[in-house]
């Protein structure tokens, strides 16, 4: 301890000193690189402005259309600002202003030449401005501007290279200092290990025993949890299959019977005509009863297996679900849905979650208003159902709360998370987060699901 502690302190002080020195030099070099980049951007901007001015002027000279003067006037007004910015960059950096002055002269000559052509064109002197345009004066001025800008860019690149070399030198110094510091630290650490080796060996042996036991228990719990999750998923799938089978039976068999009965009643009613008003009235009542039965059958089938989800998609299915529930429960339901890309199983999960949440609200919440929100966050989808009802304490929910457990299992089976936020008298908010479907997997999933959706339809 008498040797290792001073060595560690010396290594720490050395590392701090090296880092501070490297930081100061690197920060200075980074500032130089940033200034050089600003200068290069200004030069490129100046070239673009001159090109825009020349292009706009040529368009006006050839067509006489005043609209071509808009880019010309804009570029001319901005050229002086760009040149002032270049002078400011070079003055702040302590650079030579001679190249910038030469560039300004070339720019002024080019602007004077373009201004002369513009005045001649506005005065109607066709031969003069055409003569000026056909000469090489404008090209020579632009070539001079490009050459001078290229010279400045090369000088700028040399400054950037020097700053980069300064950064590399600082990194090399820091690397060497860190290596020396690490060596000193290793020596100090080795000395410390020698002094406490016996104690650490005993602690390690005990820790190994505890880790093995912990790993064994974790593996056991993981296996049991996975088995239970698979069983729950299987039972959930069996339940959905049974619902789909029962929905098909009700739709095909009961639907056919009710429709046939309704047709028979209509046929009998048409044959009676107006001769038996009492029988006609009873037949009308029977028709209304059959219509109610058909509507009840349709609602039961939709609750068992929503055909709107398979035929129309998630968003229309949720719209239909919330609208019909609002009518039955006499509630105000506000919806806001984004377009989402989810596999069929995840869409069914979100649909069942909204269905179960609305059922719980109608049974227990005594709410007046419900909000259903579906948001597309890019990499994931968030579904939120909240109400202004009685609320409850999530910590006091007993083992009989199969609805919440079922929702949680459905969401987690699809790789998502479910969060329930509620308090007494403050309503309830249920939030589910599911991963979105990547574009490549979306195509594969749609191809795999389409036959099943077609058979259900």
């Amino acid at each position: 301890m008498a040797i290792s502690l001073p060595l560690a302190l010396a290594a720490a002080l050395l590392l701090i000193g090296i880092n501070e020195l490297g930081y100061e030099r690197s920060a200075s070099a980074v500032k130089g690189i940033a200034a050089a980049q600003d200068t290069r951007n200004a030069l490129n901007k100046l070239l673009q402005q001159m090109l825009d001015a020349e292009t706009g002027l040529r368009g006006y000279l050839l067509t006489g259309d005043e609209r071509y003067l808009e880019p010309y006037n804009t570029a001319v007004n901005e050229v002086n600002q760009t040149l002032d910015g270049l002078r400011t960059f070079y003055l702040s950096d302590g650079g030579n202003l001679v190249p910038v002055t030469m560039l300004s002269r070339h720019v002024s000559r080019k602007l004077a030449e373009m201004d002369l052509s513009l005045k001649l064109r506005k005065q109607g002197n066709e031969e003069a401005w055409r003569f000026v345009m056909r000469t090489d004066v404008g090209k020579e001025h632009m070539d001079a501007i490009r050459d001078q800008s290229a010279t400045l860019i090369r000088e700028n690149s040399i400054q950037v290279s020097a700053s980069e070399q300064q950064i590399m030198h600082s990194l090399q110094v820091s690397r060497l200092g860190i290596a020396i510091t690490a060596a000193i630290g290793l020596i100090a650490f080795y000395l410390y290990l020698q002094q406490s080796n016996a104690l650490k060996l005993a602690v390690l042996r005990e820790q190994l025993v505890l880790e093995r036991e912990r790993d064994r228990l974790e593996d056991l719990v993981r296996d049991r949890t996975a088995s239970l999750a698979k069983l729950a998923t299987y039972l959930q799938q069996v339940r959905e299959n049974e619902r789909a089978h029962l929905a098909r039976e009700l739709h095909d068999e009961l639907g056919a019977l009710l429709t046939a009965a309704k047709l028979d009643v209509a046929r009998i009613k048409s044959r009676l005509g107006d001769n038996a008003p009492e029988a006609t009235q009873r037949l009308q009542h029977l028709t209304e009863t059959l219509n109610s039965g058909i509507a009840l059958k349709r609602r039961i089938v939709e609750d068992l297996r929503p055909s709107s989800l398979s035929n129309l998609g998630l968003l229309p299915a949720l719209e239909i679900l919330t609208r019909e529930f609002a009518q039955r429960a006499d509630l105000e339901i506000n919806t806001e849905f984004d377009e989402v890309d989810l596999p069929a199983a995840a869409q069914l999960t979100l649909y069942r979650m909204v269905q179960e949440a609305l059922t719980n609200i109608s049974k227990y919440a005594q709410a007046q208003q419900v909000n259903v929100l579906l948001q597309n966050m890019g990499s994931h989808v968030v579904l939120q159902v909240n109400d202004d009802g009685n609320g409850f304490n999530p910590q006091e929910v007993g083992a009989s709360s199969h609805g919440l457990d079922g929702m949680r299992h459905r969401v987690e089976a699809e790789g998502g998370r479910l969060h329930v936020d509620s308090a007494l008298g403050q309503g309830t908010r249920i939030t589910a987060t599911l991963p979105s479907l990547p574009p490549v997997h979306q195509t594969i999933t749609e191809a795999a699901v389409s036959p099943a959706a077609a058979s259900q339809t």
Side-chain angles (χ1 to χ4, degrees):
M1 292 295 290
I3 299 176
S4 60
L5 183 59
L7 283 176
L9 292 175
L13 293 176
L14 178 62
L15 181 61
I16 292 173
I18 293 173
N19 285 336
E20 287 296 324
L21 178 62
Y23 171 78
E24 292 178 358
R25 298 186 63 182
S26 298
S28 176
V30 168
K31 290 180 180 178
I33 293 174
Q37 186 63 38
D38 292 338
T39 303
R40 179 176 297 182
N41 292 337
L43 289 170
N44 292 330
K45 183 179 179 181
L46 178 64
L47 290 174
Q48 185 62 45
Q49 290 169 349
M50 294 301 297
L51 181 61
D52 292 342
E54 187 177 33
T55 303
L57 179 62
R58 285 184 178 273
Y60 173 73
L61 293 177
L62 294 175
T63 63
D65 191 346
E66 294 287 342
R67 292 178 298 176
Y68 285 99
L69 290 180
E70 294 180 3
Y72 168 78
N73 294 327
T74 302
V76 169
N77 293 331
E78 292 178 353
V79 164
N80 291 328
Q81 298 179 2
T82 305
L83 287 174
D84 292 339
L86 281 172
R87 295 189 189 97
T88 303
F89 290 149
Y90 275 84
L91 285 174
S92 62
D93 195 35
N96 187 10
L97 284 176
V98 175
V100 180
T101 303
M102 294 179 63
L103 179 62
S104 300
R105 291 175 182 173
H106 294 314
V107 171
S108 299
R109 291 170 183 171
K110 179 61 180 176
L111 292 177
E113 178 259 328
M114 290 191 292
D115 184 63
L116 176 61
S117 299
L118 179 61
K119 289 180 179 178
L120 292 174
R121 179 68 173 85
K122 289 185 174 181
Q123 292 172 359
N125 195 342
E126 296 287 333
E127 295 181 359
W129 70 260
R130 290 184 183 276
F131 173 78
V132 173
M133 189 172 68
R134 284 194 294 268
T135 61
D136 293 335
V137 174
K139 181 178 182 301
E140 292 175 357
H141 290 161
M142 283 301 299
D143 291 340
I145 293 173
R146 292 190 182 96
D147 293 339
Q148 191 62 36
S149 298
T151 302
L152 291 173
I153 290 175
R154 284 194 297 272
E155 294 177 357
N156 187 267
S157 299
I158 294 173
Q159 294 178 359
V160 171
S161 299
S163 299
E164 291 176 349
Q165 291 178 0
Q166 182 177 352
I167 293 176
M168 290 300 299
H169 180 70
S170 299
L171 291 175
Q172 291 174 356
V173 172
S174 299
R175 184 179 181 183
L176 178 62
I178 290 173
I180 295 174
T181 304
I184 297 175
L186 288 175
I187 294 173
F189 185 65
Y190 174 76
L191 295 175
Y192 175 77
L193 287 179
Q194 290 295 321
Q195 298 170 1
S196 59
N197 187 40
L199 178 61
K200 285 193 174 182
L201 287 176
V203 172
L204 286 175
R205 284 195 296 268
E206 185 66 23
Q207 186 177 359
L208 286 175
V209 173
L210 293 176
E211 287 180 354
R212 290 194 191 99
E213 184 64 19
R214 184 193 62 193
D215 293 339
R216 186 185 69 83
L217 294 175
E218 287 181 353
D219 292 340
L220 182 61
V221 172
R222 190 181 301 111
D223 293 341
R224 185 63 58 85
T225 303
S227 299
L228 293 175
K230 290 180 180 179
L231 178 60
T233 303
Y234 172 74
L235 293 177
Q236 194 71 50
Q237 186 62 41
V238 169
R239 181 186 178 189
E240 289 296 334
N241 292 337
E242 289 294 332
R243 282 184 166 189
H245 174 72
L246 182 57
R248 286 193 296 269
E249 291 294 327
L250 288 174
H251 180 271
D252 296 340
E253 301 296 334
L254 183 58
L257 292 175
L258 292 175
T259 303
K262 185 177 178 181
L263 292 175
D264 290 339
V265 171
R267 190 178 299 111
I268 294 172
K269 184 178 179 181
S270 63
R271 290 185 178 181
L272 288 177
D274 299 331
N275 298 326
E278 183 178 355
T280 302
Q281 184 179 1
R282 290 185 177 275
L283 289 175
Q284 179 64 31
H285 178 70
L286 181 57
T287 300
E288 294 175 357
T289 303
L290 288 174
N291 288 334
S292 299
I294 292 173
L296 177 61
K297 180 270 300 180
R298 185 181 298 112
R299 188 170 69 251
I300 294 174
V301 169
E302 288 297 318
D303 289 341
L304 291 173
R305 187 68 176 183
S307 60
S308 58
L309 183 62
S310 302
N311 299 329
L312 304 178
L314 178 61
L315 268 60
L318 291 178
E319 289 285 357
I320 294 172
L321 174 64
T322 53
R323 183 174 63 250
E324 291 181 351
F325 180 84
Q327 293 174 355
R328 292 198 307 267
D330 192 20
L331 280 176
E332 179 183 353
I333 300 181
N334 301 316
T335 61
E336 183 178 348
F337 299 144
D338 293 342
E339 290 290 340
V340 296
D341 292 328
L342 292 172
Q347 293 184 21
L348 181 59
T349 295
L350 294 183
Y351 183 90
R352 291 302 187 195
M353 173 186 161
V354 175
Q355 190 178 43
E356 182 66 25
L358 293 178
T359 301
N360 291 338
I361 290 172
S362 65
K363 289 182 178 179
Y364 311 113
Q366 297 182 2
Q368 300 297 323
Q369 184 175 0
V370 180
N371 298 317
V372 183
L373 178 65
L374 180 63
Q375 293 178 303
N376 188 348
M377 299 299 183
S379 61
H380 60 280
V381 174
V382 176
L383 175 64
Q384 188 177 100
V385 181
N386 60 75
D387 64 80
D388 58 355
N390 297 331
F392 62 96
N393 187 356
Q395 304 298 329
E396 296 180 356
V397 176
S400 60
S401 60
H402 301 299
L404 289 176
D405 291 340
M407 283 191 286
R408 190 180 304 279
H409 173 73
R410 280 181 179 272
V411 173
E412 292 177 353
E414 296 299 326
R417 301 188 307 274
L418 182 74
H419 179 70
V420 179
D421 185 15
S422 181
L424 293 176
Q426 299 182 10
T428 302
R429 181 173 64 251
I430 301 177
T431 306
T433 304
L434 290 178
S436 295
L437 187 64
V440 175
H441 295 116
Q442 179 184 359
T443 303
I444 298 174
T445 304
E446 289 178 351
V449 172
S450 295
S455 63
Q456 292 178 5
T457 304

